Every structure is written in structure tokens, then in C-alpha cells.
Amino acid sequence: MATESKAATEDAKIDLFEDDDEFEEFEIDEEWDDKEEGKEAMQQWEDEWDDDDVNDDFSVQLKRELESNVEKS
Amino acid sequence: MAYMSMGEAHRRITEFLNRFSEAVFSQDGPSLKPLLAVSSNSANLLSLADALRVFQDASRLIKQSDKYSQLGEIIVPLLRSFQSSRIGHVVDAYNAFEKSANAFLQEFRNWESAWAMEPVYTIAYEIRVLAERADRELASMGKNPEKLKGAGSFLMKVFGALAGKGPKRVGALYVTCQLFKVYFKLGTVHLCRSVIRSIETAKIFDFEEFPMRDKVTYMYYTGRLEVFNENFLAADQKLTYALMHCNPRSEGNIRMILKYLIPVKLSIGILPKMWLLEKYNLVEYSDVVKALKRGDLRLLRHALQEHEDQFLRSGVYLVLEKLELQVYQRLVKKIYIIQKQRDPSKAHQVKLEVIVKALKWLEMDKDVDEVECIMAILIYKNLMKGYFAHKSKVVVLSKQDPFPKLNGNPVNS
């Protein structure tokens, strides 16, 4: 139908105009406390996650799976 | 709309003209700025547009008066823009505004001080926003949407007017960021290169002198470009800067920064805490993080599939897909640790068969040869230290640090 295909073209074209992640404008005079900002978000990372702990569920199941063959052979 | 008399219309128009010319002649940027903000739809501007419709001869008014005629080239099209905008003729509104903006820019070049910087910011913003509206309308009519591209050209001219030694140069970063928004929207991000080069290499610019809000925006966009180009260290540095200095109350912006920073951090072996993902609603990454922690290849695949559309749209899909190698590393490491618990003396020898079995359990059908190939890649990329006993189909791991951590560096390419 003419109207349907028109709508489809609109959608396709409107897609072209999307950058989902356009940064929101700051107000021209917007200032903020430079010391406190981002501190929270900056501390939410871990680099010591790669430990030797194999007591989690996944590792326990993995162990079981690997051992099951040993018994068979 | 309430009836407006001719007299009232005349009064409102004259009031606007007075405010405009006063602001220019007394070099009052903050007062001039709102008089240019077509898209703001402020009550004043809307009633001005109504007045213009009633009193239809504003241009004559302007040309006849000494006070206003000097600014005629700016004001006449500006008034037309208000009128067109009011009645939803968005393409005309853009065209008229572009004319006004060009005339304003010409005058701006002649003013030595930077008094009109705020009005210029407003113009830079408005031209982009009005162009976007116009292009949406053009596209919906089946016509060629070329206004945003035109706005981009205008913004380059503005940039040129600011790229000098004088006080106006402080505005260059704001205009750069408007250009980024234009290019990202058009998908012509390669055009960012020339402004970036100007900002970063021209001696007239000192990055630190720019306002923080512009620096944050700049680092966000250039950080995203580094992600596209897979320069993860540079991406980490820029996006982290943006995160660190962003207004903590701009949660939307923080979320956007994190959306791109998280895949980068994952690529250099650093994981976000669940708290962060939940607070900023980025839970599409939570299974990816879990998969890395566990060594769970099935979970990684599942996560990529489930959020494929999102990841493709933001352009991070390939970055996340490449994490597979790191997940393999984690899985083999777990197998090694499990073996060590059972029999420490033999742990450093890992049979390929065992890995095949583990992969099968994770619903990944790979034969011994394929696994050998993957192990070879892990060793080549320094994710695993050891060598291959090909005949016996065994990986012999180094006794010292067989699974080197990334330590903030991306996987060797």
C-alpha cells in the first residue's frame, strides 16, 4: 500500500539521523565541583578479579564434568 | 490565539528590535543570546512571531530606521525564521536562519573582543538543531535531506573565525563539539579528523584553557572514535577523562561515557562492578562480565546474541566479540587450577582432549585440531605461556606465570 511503503521509507531515513548516544548539552555556564565528581564512578572497577578461586558454581560444575570422563576411561 | 491589534503587534516588534540593537551596540552578549534562540520557543519569541504575522511589514520598519538598518541583514532573515518556525515551516526556518547566521558571522569577524561569544554558541547550537528538524521534514517528503550537511559547512566557517590568536579562540572547542554531533549524526565521522588535528596541533590552542564542559564533551567523542579505531589505550585515557570530569549530576552523559568505556576496560582486563552496571542501567554488559570472570564461553556467546542489536548500533559488537580469547584464557586457567588441586605434579600438562570436553559441555563443538589452533593463538598473544607437544596433543604450560595478566594493556595484536 502506498502509505505503508511511505512509512517504511520514513523509518529507514529517520534511522540515518540517529546517533543514539548524542551527548547532552551542558548549560553554557554550567560548572560543577571538580573535586567530588566522578570519584564514585572511578572506584567501581576491579583488576584483581582473576584469582585462583574455583569454588564458584561454574567451576564446581566444570570440575564435575572433567572428572566424569576420568571415571569412564 | 487571542486577537492582537496592529498597534500591539507594532509595539512588540519594535521592542524586539530595540532589545536586539541595544544588545549589539552595548556589546552585551548574554542579553543578545536569547534573541537568537529560534528553537527555544520562548514565550517572547512566539508572541513576536504572532506579531509579525499581524504586522506584516517589519522589513520596511527595519530599513527605514537608522538604528536598526545596520543590522538589517541579520535581523530581517532572523524574523523570517521566527515566523516560519512558528507555523511549522521548518525548512524555511532553517534557510532563513542560515542567512541570518552568515550575516552575523560577518559582523562577528569585525568585533575584536569576544563579547559575542555566547550568542555565537547559541547560533552554533541552533543551526544544528534547526537543520536536523529541516532534514527530518525533507526526508519525510521524499526529498534529499541536505541541511545538516550545510550546517556542518557553516560551523566550519565559525571555527575558522575562532581559530586565531585572540580571545575568541576559547570558543573553538564548543564549535568543534557541535561539529562532532553533526558528523556523528550524518555518519561522516572521518570528517572529524581535520578539526581534531586543528585543536590538538595548532599552537594557538591550549587545551587546558577551554571550559571544562567542552573538554568533557570533546573527550567523549574523540574517545568514541578511538574505540571505533580499536586504539584501546587512547580510548581508555580519553573516556576516563570524560568520566572523571563530567558533571556528576549528568547521569545521562555518564551513562553514555560508560557505555563505551566498559568494553574498552574489558579489553584491557579491567572489570566494572555490578553496582556500576545497575546504577547506570548498563545491564546488557553483566553477562559479558560474568563470562569473563568465569571463563564461560557459552555465556559470552549468549550475551552477544541476546544484545546483538544494541551492541551493533553502538558499534561495540566487535570489541566484545574479541573478548572470546580472554574468556578462553580464563577457562584454560581454571582447568589448570582444577588439575593442580587433583595432582599438582602433572597440572602444567593440559591434554587437548580435556579442553575439547570442557568446550563440549559449554555447547561448543570443536575438534582437537581446532583447539590446538586456539591454544596456539593464546600462546602467540601472550595470554598463555608454554609450548605445544604436538604428537601427544598436550599443552605444556610454563611453571611460572602461565597465564599472564593483561595489566591494563590490550591483547597483543
Side-chain angles (χ1 to χ4, degrees), chain B residues 183-245:
Chain B
Y183 294 146
F184 270 71
K185 196 136 208 165
L186 290 173
T188 55
V189 295
H190 60 284
L191 294 175
C192 297
R193 213 180 307 144
S194 73
V195 261
I196 291 174
R197 209 178 317 136
S198 296
I199 293 287
E200 294 186 3
T201 62
K203 291 195 186 137
I204 43 166
F205 294 131
D206 176 1
F207 193 75
E208 289 317 306
E209 285 181 344
F210 291 121
M212 185 51 86
R213 55 161 204 276
D214 297 333
K215 290 193 279 195
V216 169
T217 308
Y218 180 84
M219 286 298 199
Y220 167 73
Y221 280 103
T222 52
R224 277 178 70 182
L225 288 172
E226 300 286 10
V227 177
F228 291 163
N229 294 324
E230 299 196 349
N231 299 330
F232 296 133
L233 290 177
D236 183 28
Q237 182 220 358
K238 292 178 189 192
L239 293 170
T240 298
Y241 180 103
L243 182 66
M244 203 159 45
H245 297 290

Side-chain angles (χ1 to χ4, degrees), chain A residues 16-17 19-25 28 30 32 37 44 46 49-51 59 65 68-69, chain B residues 174 178 181 185 213 220 224 244-245 247 253 259-260 269 271 273 293 313 330 334 357:
Chain A
L16 288 177
F17 304 126
D19 171 20
D20 293 343
D21 300 317
E22 187 176 286
F23 220 54
E24 288 157 17
E25 295 273 327
I28 288 301
E30 199 167 332
W32 49 86
E37 95 259 335
Q44 300 302 323
E46 19 183 24
W49 52 274
D50 189 7
D51 54 27
S59 306
E65 180 63 25
S68 73
N69 206 25
Chain B
Y174 181 81
Q178 292 302 313
K181 292 184 180 185
K185 196 136 208 165
R213 55 161 204 276
Y220 167 73
R224 277 178 70 182
M244 203 159 45
H245 297 290
N247 185 346
N253 282 345
K259 191 169 168 185
Y260 292 93
L271 268 41
K273 295 185 186 162
K293 265 197 196 161
R313 270 183 91 84
R330 186 83 175 126
K334 287 219 167 159
K357 189 166 203 298

Side-chain angles (χ1 to χ4, degrees), chain B residues 12-32:
Chain B
R12 287 192 193 196
I13 294 169
T14 318
E15 187 188 321
F16 177 86
L17 296 174
N18 283 334
R19 282 174 69 194
F20 198 98
S21 52
E22 267 307 301
V24 173
F25 296 134
S26 59
Q27 303 200 332
D28 182 356
S31 297
L32 182 58

Side-chain angles (χ1 to χ4, degrees), chain B residues 40-71:
Chain B
S40 68
N41 286 331
S42 71
N44 278 338
L45 295 180
L46 291 179
S47 74
L48 173 67
D50 292 338
L52 288 165
R53 189 158 33 146
V54 171
F55 182 100
Q56 294 188 352
D57 214 358
S59 0
R60 184 172 56 87
L61 201 65
I62 294 167
K63 284 168 187 161
Q64 282 179 344
S65 155
D66 283 337
K67 223 197 317 182
Y68 316 133
S69 60
Q70 278 180 289
L71 302 169

Side-chain angles (χ1 to χ4, degrees), chain A residues 6-57:
Chain A
K6 183 179 184 233
T9 331
E10 272 177 48
D11 280 344
K13 290 226 167 110
I14 283 168
D15 235 22
L16 288 177
F17 304 126
E18 292 315 300
D19 171 20
D20 293 343
D21 300 317
E22 187 176 286
F23 220 54
E24 288 157 17
E25 295 273 327
F26 292 119
E27 292 304 313
I28 288 301
D29 284 331
E30 199 167 332
E31 281 177 359
W32 49 86
D33 187 353
D34 215 45
K35 289 149 232 147
E36 279 320 300
E37 95 259 335
K39 272 227 182 110
E40 206 180 40
M42 296 297 297
Q43 286 163 357
Q44 300 302 323
W45 307 92
E46 19 183 24
D47 56 359
E48 294 301 321
W49 52 274
D50 189 7
D51 54 27
D52 290 353
D53 177 19
V54 288
N55 293 318
D56 56 290
D57 284 344

